[in-house]
Amino acid sequence: MRRAVNDLLGAYDKLIMDPVHGGIPLYRHEIQVIDHPLFQRLRNICQNDILSLVFPGATHSRFLHSIGVMHVGTRMFRSMIDAYLRERQLSERTDLSLSQLDAIDYLAKTIRLGCLLHDSGHSSFSHQFTQARRIRELMSRPQRFRDLWRGVDFTCYHPEEPGELEHEHYSVRVAHDVLSSVDLDTAGLDAVDVIGIMETTDVSPSDTFCHHARTFWEFIAGADALAGSIGEQDVPALVMGLLSSIVSGEIDADRADYMLRDGFHSSVTIGGFNLDHLLSNLRFGWDVSEPWMGLAITQKGLGALEDFVYSRYQMYRKVYAHKTALGFDWLLREAINEVLEDPESFDWIDTCLSDMRYFAELTDNFFWEAFRKVARKHPKSYSFCIVNRVKLNHLDTRENLDKQQIDDHSHWLAGELAMAPSNVVTCSMRARFSNIQDNFNGIKVLVKNPITRERSLRKITEVSAFFSKFGDGTITHFYSRPEVTRMAPPDLLE
């Protein structure tokens, strides 16, 4: 019967080759999603903004990352299903019913699409785009959200309007348009369920999802399914929370793929961890007293999880917060601000951010051409620095300074180097690990009693002291400001 599950989940219509994961199978409706112009635009958005100016191999795109996340998310879910069936059949020899197979298939395909579309709302240069000052001002404009959803009812995804838009809100908007053009009926899926496991959404799942969720819950929880205070109406939310944690959580498909992919293309080894070992030790966990349903890990898998967390920590410190990389990120943001000084470019980007008919135009290529245009007219511009790889002159690096300490150190450096304080540029990256203990307490450890052989769930920090060692780490680099001719009045530029 376990083979029947693999056959059901394993049928595919196309195989795409990936340098990190090898062959990735695709269903027909997923091919339709990938072929949509709003998804194809991800080919022209670099996964790591302009990190390739420091690590030349890091030219990989959001397009292949998104497909890789879908692949890893599938492996996570199937690995847990496979382990559950293996352990149950050893003791119970229980076969699956057709309704259980249908439920597993529905949830697996929902996870795949949620993972595939999770980053579909990223604009040019990924995260750096929304961190540019003038872009933030644009995205904070009143009525931006309503303009973006003009003519479409968004309340099934967002009961309330967000005050400020992030790329996750655009991912939901893109997913709505893409899934509306795909033949989900033939696939037996509902768009609201897929979008419901993406970030920023709060949905009422479809009747189909609720039916499959209850079937899945009874199958996984067994005798516990009717215990505790869990009502039948509470089960779909528990299952949707489980699926959401696979798309976006502390052990999620997104992080697993980008750490392996960024490490591979950057030719560094510090982002490496054993994905196979980690996935083989993931389990479904539930607690009817809380109630809770989520990811659990076996005790023997704690080492793989620790490697996963430590690799992520090191990637932030050694790659993403590299002194030259953060300097180029600062120049990139200033170059984007320069482009928006041109009224024509400003109006066009404003339109693209409000109208899905033009959103696909926001790619790295658009800005590279804009940078070249500015650089030709203004050789002493931030755009010229980006186009010609003129990096900031690094002065110093300090860790864990607060804002006042950063200002004090900037003034001290300026005094020592006989510079004006305004000519000292600071770039900080905060590796957010202070909540790692609390967040990982949402992931349980399966602990086996050596006498009774019964298993119980415990908080991860009660079993491993490793996760309590992490705290937020802020790395601040100090540079001298390049000689740049201002293109606009001082009140419009930093």
Side-chain angles (χ1 to χ4, degrees):
M1 185 57 70
R2 193 155 39 120
R3 178 170 178 184
V5 176
N6 288 335
D7 289 344
L8 184 64
L9 298 177
Y12 63 90
D13 298 283
K14 189 174 184 178
L15 194 69
I16 189 169
M17 299 309 297
D18 174 45
V20 175
H21 302 295
I24 298 178
L26 300 172
Y27 291 98
R28 184 173 290 106
H29 63 278
E30 293 163 354
I31 298 171
Q32 294 173 3
V33 168
I34 291 171
D35 285 343
H36 194 285
L38 284 171
F39 193 88
Q40 285 291 312
R41 64 182 282 276
L42 297 178
R43 289 180 181 273
N44 298 310
I45 296 177
C46 197
Q47 171 74 10
N48 297 117
D49 51 79
I50 53 174
L51 187 65
S52 61
L53 294 183
V54 183
F55 300 94
T59 58
H60 51 299
S61 67
R62 287 275 163 186
F63 176 83
L64 202 48
H65 164 65
S66 297
I67 295 174
V69 174
M70 178 190 69
H71 179 66
V72 175
T74 304
R75 288 192 60 194
M76 289 177 68
F77 187 71
R78 288 186 60 177
S79 179
M80 289 187 287
I81 289 287
D82 188 66
Y84 184 79
L85 291 174
R86 183 176 63 251
E87 291 169 358
R88 279 195 66 176
Q89 287 189 353
L90 285 175
S91 59
E92 301 178 20
R93 301 290 176 185
T94 303
D95 286 340
L96 294 177
S97 65
L98 184 59
S99 63
Q100 289 169 337
L101 287 169
D102 285 343
I104 292 170
D105 183 59
Y106 189 89
L107 299 182
K109 288 180 177 177
T110 299
I111 289 171
R112 286 175 64 85
L113 283 182
C115 287
L116 186 62
L117 290 164
H118 83 288
D119 267 353
S120 57
H122 266 298
S123 295
S124 311
F125 302 115
S126 298
H127 293 286
Q128 294 306 316
F129 179 81
T130 54
Q131 292 181 26
R133 173 178 53 82
R134 301 213 67 192
I135 295 296
R136 282 248 60 90
E137 293 170 358
L138 271 178
M139 293 181 70
S140 302
R141 178 177 64 77
Q143 292 296 114
R144 171 77 65 189
F145 182 78
R146 284 192 172 271
D147 288 345
L148 189 63
W149 287 91
R150 187 182 295 113
V152 181
D153 182 12
F154 59 81
T155 56
C156 59
Y157 309 129
H158 301 287
E160 297 181 1
E161 295 182 42
E164 187 172 355
L165 297 187
E166 301 291 347
H167 78 269
E168 291 89 354
H169 296 106
Y170 280 89
S171 293
V172 172
R173 184 65 183 90
V174 168
H176 172 82
D177 270 20
V178 172
L179 295 177
S180 296
S181 67
V182 171
D183 184 14
L184 288 184
D185 289 339
T186 300
L189 298 173
D190 195 307
V192 73
D193 301 330
V194 175
I195 296 176
I197 64 174
M198 296 170 63
E199 289 186 273
T200 75
T201 60
D202 183 8
V203 308
S204 296
S206 69
D207 291 341
T208 302
F209 183 94
C210 293
H211 170 73
H212 288 316
R214 294 183 184 109
T215 300
F216 179 76
W217 167 250
E218 291 171 1
F219 162 62
I220 293 295
D224 286 344
L226 301 177
S229 57
I230 300 178
E232 187 177 271
Q233 70 280 0
D234 301 321
V235 172
L238 288 177
V239 176
M240 185 158 279
L242 169 70
L243 271 54
S244 298
S245 69
I246 293 175
V247 178
S248 179
E250 281 303 318
I251 310 178
D252 61 13
D254 181 32
R255 286 189 174 95
D257 181 81
Y258 79 62
M259 284 168 55
L260 291 175
R261 193 171 301 277
D262 293 353
F264 174 83
H265 287 284
S266 301
S267 299
V268 298
T269 58
I270 54 178
F273 62 95
N274 193 324
L275 180 62
D276 292 337
H277 185 39
L278 179 63
L279 297 186
S280 68
N281 285 284
L282 285 180
R283 300 291 187 271
F284 297 113
W286 65 90
D287 187 337
V288 295
S289 63
E290 292 192 25
W292 172 83
M293 187 178 193
L295 302 181
I297 191 163
T298 65
Q299 273 187 292
K300 70 176 183 179
L302 280 176
L305 180 58
E306 290 169 358
D307 286 344
F308 176 82
V309 174
Y310 185 68
S311 295
R312 180 178 158 217
Y313 177 78
Q314 287 291 73
M315 283 291 287
Y316 271 95
R317 293 182 60 86
K318 304 300 184 183
V319 177
Y320 307 133
H322 188 283
K323 65 180 187 300
T324 308
L326 282 193
F328 275 122
D329 284 346
W330 185 88
L331 287 169
L332 175 62
R333 294 191 295 271
E334 293 303 317
I336 291 173
N337 290 334
E338 281 181 343
V339 169
L340 267 72
E341 297 299 339
D342 173 49
E344 184 178 348
S345 295
F346 180 92
D347 290 342
W348 177 241
I349 295 169
D350 187 29
T351 299
C352 292
L353 288 172
S354 295
D355 194 327
M356 293 308 295
R357 292 176 298 176
Y358 307 109
F359 184 69
E361 301 289 336
L362 281 180
T363 64
D364 294 1
N365 296 340
F366 170 83
F367 276 95
W368 277 113
E369 289 304 313
F371 294 156
R372 293 186 182 99
K373 181 179 178 181
V374 172
R376 285 193 295 270
K377 293 183 178 180
H378 304 277
K380 289 190 175 182
S381 63
Y382 296 115
S383 295
F384 183 91
C385 294
I386 290 296
V387 170
N388 294 281
R389 200 183 178 276
V390 179
K391 62 183 180 180
L392 293 179
N393 181 33
H394 180 254
L395 302 177
D396 197 11
T397 298
R398 289 288 186 270
E399 295 193 23
N400 301 323
L401 301 182
D402 59 28
K403 187 178 184 304
Q404 185 59 54
Q405 290 172 323
I406 291 174
D407 291 341
D408 291 344
H409 193 62
S410 295
H411 281 78
W412 178 83
L413 283 172
E416 291 295 308
L417 298 171
M419 299 167 53
S422 60
N423 285 334
V424 178
V425 171
T426 64
C427 299
S428 297
M429 174 171 280
R430 184 184 183 191
R432 294 182 175 88
F433 288 95
S434 61
N435 293 327
I436 202 167
Q437 180 170 338
D438 292 336
N439 290 338
F440 271 98
N441 275 339
I443 301 169
K444 311 295 184 182
V445 182
L446 283 172
V447 179
K448 184 182 294 185
N449 187 305
I451 306 300
T452 64
R453 311 301 292 174
E454 292 182 355
R455 292 186 173 188
S456 60
L457 289 170
R458 293 177 60 186
K459 289 184 177 181
I460 200 165
T461 46
E462 295 176 356
V463 180
S464 171
F466 176 83
F467 300 93
S468 61
K469 298 176 182 178
F470 289 90
D472 270 7
T474 301
I475 298 175
T476 303
H477 298 302
F478 297 82
Y479 312 85
S480 58
R481 183 184 293 271
E483 293 185 11
V484 170
T485 301
R486 296 183 184 274
M487 296 171 50
D491 62 328
L492 294 181
L493 287 174
E494 291 183 350

